[in-house]
Amino acid sequence: MIEPASSFFQFFSFFERAIIAYVAAINAIYFFLMVLGFFALRRYRDGLIPEDREALLRSPLLPEITIVVPAHNEELSICESVKALLNLNYPKHDVIVVNDGSTDDTLRVLIDNFRLCRSAGHCDGALPSKPVRAIYRPRGPIRLTVVDKEKGGKADALNAGLGFARSPLVAAVDSDSLLEQDALMHVVEPFLQDPGKVLACGGIIRVVNGCSVEHGKVTRISTPRAVLPLLQTIEYLRAFLGGRVAFSFLNSLMLISGAFGIFNRKALIEAGGFLSTTVGEDMELVVRLHRRWRERKKNYRIVFVPEPVCWTEVPESWKVLHRQRNRWQRGTVESLAAHRHIILKARFGVLGLFAMPYFVLFEMFGPLEYAFLFFVVSILFGILLSMSAVVLEEFTMRRYPSVADLLRLLAAAIVENFGYRQFLTVWRVQGVWDALRGKRGWGAMERRGFQRRAADRTAKDRRRFQRRAADRTTMERGGFQRRAADRTAK
Amino acid sequence: MISERTAHVVVFAKTLAACAAYAAAIFLADSVYFAKRFRARELSIGVSVAFVQCAVIFCMLTFSFLKKWIDQVRDRNAERLRPRIRELLAKYAAQSVSPAHFIELSQTNASAVEACLLESLRAVRGSGRQAISRFAGEIGLHLKWQKEYGSRHISRRKNAVARLALLSRDLSGDTLRRALADPDESVRLHTARAVLQNCHPGEAGQIFRLAVEGSDITRIILSEELRPYILELVTEAIPTMLGSPDSKKVLCTLEILHAWGKFLPLTGIYPLLRNHSAPVRAAAFRLLALLPRLDSLNAEILHGVSDSNPAVCCAAAGAAASVGLQAAVPELARCLHQNDPRTALSAAQALARLGAEGCRMLEKETLNGSPLASAVALEALESARTSRHEMVGAS
């Protein structure tokens, strides 16, 4: 009897230690990344000053940038977005909107607002995409191209847009994102500091909920009033200022947000463009770039600029948030699974030995592990406590004489932890909330009464006997009748 | 220049030092206090971690609040004194007050005097500025800034050189010369910009050299700042760089000249059309439109259009269009059939700019050419039409 209990407690002790080790590891890594991010940020702050940027903006030596905007059913917002992109504070940029098989009036809105007409355009066909139906350009000097193509998803639309881009740098922007006026200037800096080496660059994405927006520009910055966007604001801050600066410093940045990222066009085409079979095309591309360049042993950088460059709208309902996070997590899992061979391979450097394992352990399985560990721990503790109570009852009071009752109680001690206790917790939290709100009264309570329960039992027993008797009679009668019928037939 | 590698090592060293200090603090808190209070080892370590983390956050917040508060108080005090200091400075610049009035004030309210003095140095020119600069020397500000330049913090060094550049060169010259060769490129850039605000003869050439030898970002910024000194540079600094055996320097010089977009009396560029380095050849062809015309140039351009390097071919096609070289039409038409889409597109655009004959060739290609040739020809014809519309609209 002692051995199983001892092994159970040994397992439990091991489990406890594993949890402590996990929590300690994740906190140590977060702390390390935070400190590294702090010093890297300070180093970044010693770079250019606003006057330098003004001088840069005046220069014709700045590289041209093509902004590719995939749009699917965006008739309500596309016009404002394109106007804002065309008015960005950068001397040499053009915009390519890829209408990805919209079923609404996205294309019509663009044609009407920018006076577009059908045009000739040469796609270099470097990346495969769904067939292009037509190309539209404005009559005037506006540097806008609209590519109308069959529906193929965001990645496919970006690939199609890349075929029409002529600039050495290409920015991928979501049509519902708003860029800061100097966003292009900020993200182009690493390409100038390390020409030829920088493959991609991204910046801080901020939450636009709660801010005032006029003509595609954020005119007043404010925190969201609603709770859910406010929580996401904190989450975005932590994600962008904590981890990404440090990972960028280690040249192991695994994600450049799909909302806004800028890429070296040549490198992007060499890597094969965006992958349309995954929902996390942004992360997959960045990991693929890392992988290809490290495999070729080339010197390269993928950079994160700690400057606010893009504003995005975050979900305000739990349902949409749930859908978004589900998609993100699927994207992470798909990207990591696709490049699993990098993990713990020394030739991939910090990426293989630290960044990928970190993402697998804490980002991919993190939620699962956390949820699983907490669930298992709470269940185990719950079962232990309930069983202890039963054991205590048995050792002291012994009010339940039969073994069947004892076994039933032990079974209940296990079962009650799956659902019942969770419901109780929810109701208790509700009770606290109601108490804080000052709710009074008992509430309707249905009591059946002890006597009635006994009467019920008697009546139930009587009914059960009657039913059984009736069933038996019917069966017997049925049997007799069937047998009689069989006999007649014979 | 401090290499990127060294900067990385420094940041890593700081990070590791901070992590080690944090671990030491946890160990200390655990062994001195918590281990005695809690019997379970895990619990005592956990509580120590939580305690140290809370203490660090609390200290950092307190420090930042205190710093903000002190700065505000100091600013408020300085704001009260500023009108009087400004008045005295104006009088001093006009030489109607003796420096003795200031000496005492600068000793009691050094930061306010310094801020006002900087403000005046930026706003005033000529003899007034020289007088204020002299006064800064008298109260020893130039020594303070020179000392600040010795700091290992990049931002402090930058601030120091920005201030020193406002003073007369006899007070700041040596430090500025050292700052132009600072190990950190951003400090060099900052110094160069500061020096150009108040440039002395010979300094523009030195800064041009810095622009050519620096990173892309330095070159782009300094090329804009050097615009007012083009004529001075054309005489010596630019020809020297164009004659350099280092093709990278030559290429950078050509890029700067291209950025200026001015007509330049330079002859040193023509030999570069046959340079061994393809990027140099391409950059030289891009500059042809800004140079005096020579008869031999047509043959050079035709030679460039048939160059095996696509970048040179594209640049030569652009040059042919810029100088209106009709003789290049057959060669450009041949380029339309090359496999490289960029070369084909450049050739098509050059043909579209070459007037009726070029457009006729493009129309023929749209009907009979290969898919690539007809696509690029159509695109070029359309862009030519759009630019004609724009020109009509502008006129």
Side-chain angles (χ1 to χ4, degrees):
Chain A
M1 283 299 283
I2 294 165
E3 273 182 9
S6 142
S7 62
F8 174 77
F9 281 109
Q10 268 175 5
F11 165 75
F12 196 74
S13 168
F14 164 76
F15 199 70
E16 190 185 69
R17 278 163 200 274
I19 294 166
I20 290 171
Y22 181 84
V23 173
I26 197 168
N27 280 309
I29 289 173
Y30 278 151
F31 180 77
F32 172 76
L33 291 176
M34 207 65 139
V35 176
L36 188 61
F38 171 77
F39 287 116
L41 259 174
R42 278 178 59 133
R43 163 96 192 136
Y44 174 81
R45 258 184 29 203
D46 287 337
L48 296 187
I49 56 170
E51 287 84 358
D52 292 337
R53 295 205 174 94
E54 279 169 25
L56 274 176
L57 282 172
R58 290 198 302 271
S59 174
L61 287 178
L62 275 183
E64 274 191 49
I65 299 176
T66 298
I67 302 174
V68 182
V69 189
H72 177 72
N73 292 347
E74 304 276 358
E75 63 176 2
L76 295 176
S77 62
I78 192 71
C79 216
E80 283 293 307
S81 299
V82 173
K83 278 180 192 166
L85 290 174
L86 287 168
N87 286 319
L88 287 179
N89 194 13
Y90 192 81
K92 291 197 281 187
H93 75 284
D94 64 317
V95 179
I96 297 178
V97 180
V98 185
N99 179 39
D100 188 38
S102 296
T103 48
D104 66 354
D105 274 342
T106 303
L107 185 63
R108 176 60 40 207
V109 166
L110 285 168
I111 289 172
D112 292 346
N113 273 279
F114 296 97
R115 294 192 299 139
L116 303 176
C117 52
R118 212 165 164 151
S119 162
H122 164 64
C123 174
D124 65 6
L127 298 169
S129 66
K130 293 267 173 171
V132 172
R133 293 180 196 141
I135 295 154
Y136 299 87
R137 286 201 178 98
R139 288 173 210 277
I142 302 168
R143 300 190 70 183
L144 171 68
T145 305
V146 175
V147 179
D148 182 31
K149 67 176 272 289
E150 287 174 14
K151 188 173 180 334
K154 186 184 167 187
D156 191 73
L158 287 168
N159 286 342
L162 276 171
F164 290 91
R166 301 273 180 265
S167 316
L169 300 178
V170 182
V173 180
D174 276 356
S175 59
D176 56 353
S177 297
L178 296 173
L179 295 195
E180 279 278 307
Q181 278 292 289
D182 293 329
L184 292 178
M185 190 64 248
H186 285 303
V187 290
V188 90
E189 274 173 33
F191 290 92
L192 299 174
Q193 277 161 349
D194 247 346
K197 272 192 204 168
V198 178
L199 307 182
C201 178
I204 296 177
I205 313 288
R206 288 271 162 100
V207 173
V208 78
N209 306 46
C211 301
S212 306
V213 178
E214 279 170 32
H215 306 296
K217 279 183 204 168
V218 178
T219 49
R220 193 181 60 84
I221 298 169
S222 174
T223 49
R225 294 284 169 272
V227 176
L228 204 52
L230 187 67
L231 297 177
Q232 288 174 80
T233 308
I234 288 286
E235 188 195 357
Y236 271 61
L237 279 180
R238 201 181 55 207
F240 282 100
L241 286 179
R244 291 203 191 177
V245 178
F247 276 115
S248 169
F249 189 80
L250 296 167
N251 199 20
S252 306
L253 187 68
M254 300 267 286
L255 176 63
I256 284 177
S257 171
F260 178 52
I262 185 164
F263 301 88
N264 180 327
R265 182 177 177 273
K266 205 174 148 200
L268 198 54
I269 288 170
E270 266 182 59
F274 291 89
L275 193 68
S276 47
T277 52
T278 172
V279 285
E281 77 291 329
D282 43 5
M283 183 175 183
E284 197 283 331
L285 173 69
V286 176
V287 179
R288 185 148 35 93
L289 283 169
H290 274 297
R291 187 179 171 176
R292 292 273 164 92
W293 260 252
R294 289 202 194 222
E295 276 171 351
R296 293 174 191 174
K297 292 183 178 153
K298 279 188 179 175
N299 201 358
Y300 77 98
R301 278 176 67 206
I302 293 176
V303 184
F304 173 77
V305 178
E307 296 276 357
V309 291
C310 179
W311 297 86
T312 194
E313 199 175 341
V314 298
E316 296 209 349
S317 76
W318 287 99
K319 196 178 157 191
V320 182
L321 180 68
H322 165 234
R323 217 180 294 149
Q324 186 198 48
R325 294 312 160 97
N326 180 287
R327 195 180 66 243
W328 286 5
Q329 197 61 24
R330 272 187 292 138
T332 307
V333 173
E334 282 171 7
S335 305
L336 294 176
H339 299 282
R340 60 190 176 279
H341 304 295
I342 295 176
I343 301 169
L344 297 177
K345 295 275 166 61
R347 70 187 170 119
F348 291 101
V350 184
L351 181 81
L353 296 175
F354 176 65
M356 279 293 271
Y358 167 85
F359 264 77
V360 171
L361 273 174
F362 302 126
E363 296 288 334
M364 190 168 114
F365 289 127
L368 288 181
E369 280 177 34
Y370 255 120
F372 178 72
L373 287 177
F374 281 116
F375 182 71
V376 169
V377 168
S378 77
I379 296 282
L380 280 176
F381 270 118
I383 290 171
L384 272 180
L385 280 173
S386 303
M387 282 187 166
S388 311
V390 174
V391 170
L392 203 66
E393 207 287 329
E394 184 56 24
F395 273 94
T396 53
M397 305 295 176
R398 294 195 181 187
R399 299 302 292 263
Y400 296 100
S402 76
V403 177
D405 280 333
L406 191 64
L407 286 175
R408 213 175 291 142
L409 279 175
L410 286 174
I414 296 168
V415 171
E416 70 144 3
N417 289 285
F418 298 94
Y420 174 74
R421 281 171 64 90
Q422 285 80 0
F423 271 116
L424 284 189
T425 310
V426 171
W427 293 330
R428 283 164 68 187
V429 171
Q430 211 173 348
V432 173
W433 176 241
D434 285 345
L436 289 173
R437 281 170 60 208
K439 191 176 172 182
R440 294 263 180 270
W442 283 94
M445 190 75 186
E446 284 180 20
R447 292 203 187 277
R448 300 181 69 190
F450 300 119
Q451 285 178 351
R452 198 174 151 197
R453 196 168 291 160
D456 279 352
R457 202 159 38 233
T458 318
K460 213 184 278 171
D461 288 346
R462 201 182 300 136
R463 271 202 302 277
R464 201 185 301 143
F465 282 126
Q466 281 172 357
R467 210 182 305 132
R468 272 191 207 152
D471 284 350
R472 220 172 10 243
T473 317
T474 318
M475 271 169 66
E476 280 167 6
R477 201 179 296 144
F480 285 134
Q481 282 172 355
R482 208 163 33 245
R483 265 179 244 150
D486 286 349
R487 254 198 314 271
T488 315
K490 269 182 193 170
Chain B
M1 177 188 172
I2 295 176
S3 67
E4 200 60 26
R5 198 182 170 78
T6 317
H8 264 65
V9 170
V10 170
V11 170
F12 268 123
K14 283 180 183 173
T15 307
L16 289 178
C19 289
Y22 185 73
I26 291 169
F27 175 74
L28 209 67
D30 181 55
S31 55
V32 170
Y33 188 79
F34 292 106
K36 291 168 193 165
R37 300 302 190 271
F38 300 98
R39 214 177 286 168
R41 191 86 187 99
E42 288 92 349
L43 190 62
S44 80
I45 292 175
V47 174
S48 308
V49 171
F51 170 77
V52 172
Q53 194 130 358
C54 290
V56 167
I57 290 171
F58 177 78
C59 289
M60 285 171 82
L61 281 176
T62 312
F63 173 76
S64 101
F65 279 123
L66 266 177
K67 193 172 177 297
K68 265 188 203 303
W69 180 70
I70 290 168
D71 285 349
Q72 272 178 3
V73 170
R74 203 178 280 170
D75 280 354
R76 224 176 293 143
N77 290 341
E79 205 58 47
R80 272 203 299 271
L81 277 171
R82 268 183 190 168
R84 177 168 155 66
I85 299 170
R86 279 187 198 129
E87 192 187 340
L88 277 172
L89 269 176
K91 280 182 184 167
Y92 182 81
Q95 294 174 346
S96 60
V97 67
S98 77
H101 283 84
F102 262 123
I103 306 291
E104 196 185 344
L105 198 63
S106 67
Q107 277 165 357
T108 50
N109 296 286
S111 60
V113 169
E114 190 179 335
C116 289
L117 206 132
L118 283 168
E119 211 174 69
S120 308
L121 279 171
R122 287 190 190 110
V124 181
R125 292 271 181 275
S127 61
R129 184 180 191 159
Q130 277 177 355
I132 296 170
S133 167
R134 218 171 26 249
F135 171 67
E138 276 174 32
I139 60 173
L141 276 179
H142 70 298
L143 295 175
K144 185 191 166 204
W145 295 336
Q146 278 170 5
K147 198 176 162 194
E148 269 177 23
Y149 174 70
S151 164
R152 60 191 174 86
H153 293 289
I154 291 170
S155 53
R156 261 186 226 165
R157 291 215 297 275
K158 278 184 183 176
N159 272 340
V161 290
R163 288 164 185 195
L164 283 168
L166 295 169
L167 301 179
S168 56
R169 289 291 184 269
D170 55 319
L171 289 173
S172 60
D174 189 43
T175 313
L176 286 181
R177 260 192 301 282
R178 275 195 294 132
L180 280 173
D182 192 276
D184 188 273
E185 187 171 20
S186 67
V187 178
R188 286 203 301 269
L189 171 66
H190 205 75
T191 313
R193 293 193 68 207
V195 168
L196 285 173
Q197 301 292 317
N198 183 21
C199 195
H200 287 223
E203 286 179 339
Q206 196 182 350
I207 290 166
F208 181 78
R209 215 165 26 250
L210 197 71
V212 168
E213 287 164 3
S215 70
D216 280 16
I217 215 155
T218 303
R219 185 162 56 257
I220 294 174
I221 292 170
L222 290 183
S223 67
E224 286 307 300
E225 301 291 331
L226 283 166
R227 267 179 194 276
Y229 306 96
I230 291 176
L231 289 177
E232 186 189 329
L233 295 170
V234 160
T235 54
E236 199 190 328
I238 295 174
T240 311
M241 281 296 167
L242 287 176
S244 165
D246 185 351
S247 47
K248 191 173 175 286
K249 282 184 187 172
V250 179
L251 182 63
C252 295
T253 309
L254 293 173
E255 278 179 3
I256 293 174
L257 298 180
H258 187 249
W260 286 339
K262 303 263 184 194
F263 179 82
L264 300 164
L266 284 168
T267 52
I269 293 172
Y270 302 121
L272 299 175
L273 296 173
R274 297 263 180 160
N275 192 283
H276 64 91
S277 157
V280 171
R281 287 203 302 277
F285 273 112
R286 274 195 289 271
L287 267 177
L288 278 189
L290 302 172
L291 298 174
R293 290 290 301 273
L294 292 181
D295 291 338
S296 59
L297 273 184
N298 293 353
E300 289 294 339
I301 292 171
L302 287 174
H303 184 263
V305 173
S306 58
D307 198 294
S308 58
N309 187 289
V312 179
C313 190
C314 291
S322 302
V323 301
L325 185 62
Q326 297 290 334
V329 171
E331 196 60 38
L332 289 171
R334 197 186 58 76
C335 287
L336 285 178
H337 296 280
Q338 286 197 4
N339 284 334
D340 181 45
R342 290 193 175 245
T343 311
L345 193 61
S346 301
Q349 281 167 348
L351 282 169
R353 285 165 63 198
L354 276 173
E357 200 181 337
C359 288
R360 258 199 302 281
M361 184 61 79
L362 286 173
E363 279 161 12
K364 208 165 84 186
E365 287 296 334
T366 55
L367 297 171
N368 307 322
S370 63
L372 174 65
S374 61
V376 294
L378 204 63
E379 192 174 331
L381 279 171
E382 198 182 87
S383 65
R385 193 196 65 206
T386 313
S387 39
R388 267 198 294 279
H389 280 157
E390 280 170 33
M391 281 163 70
V392 170
S395 65

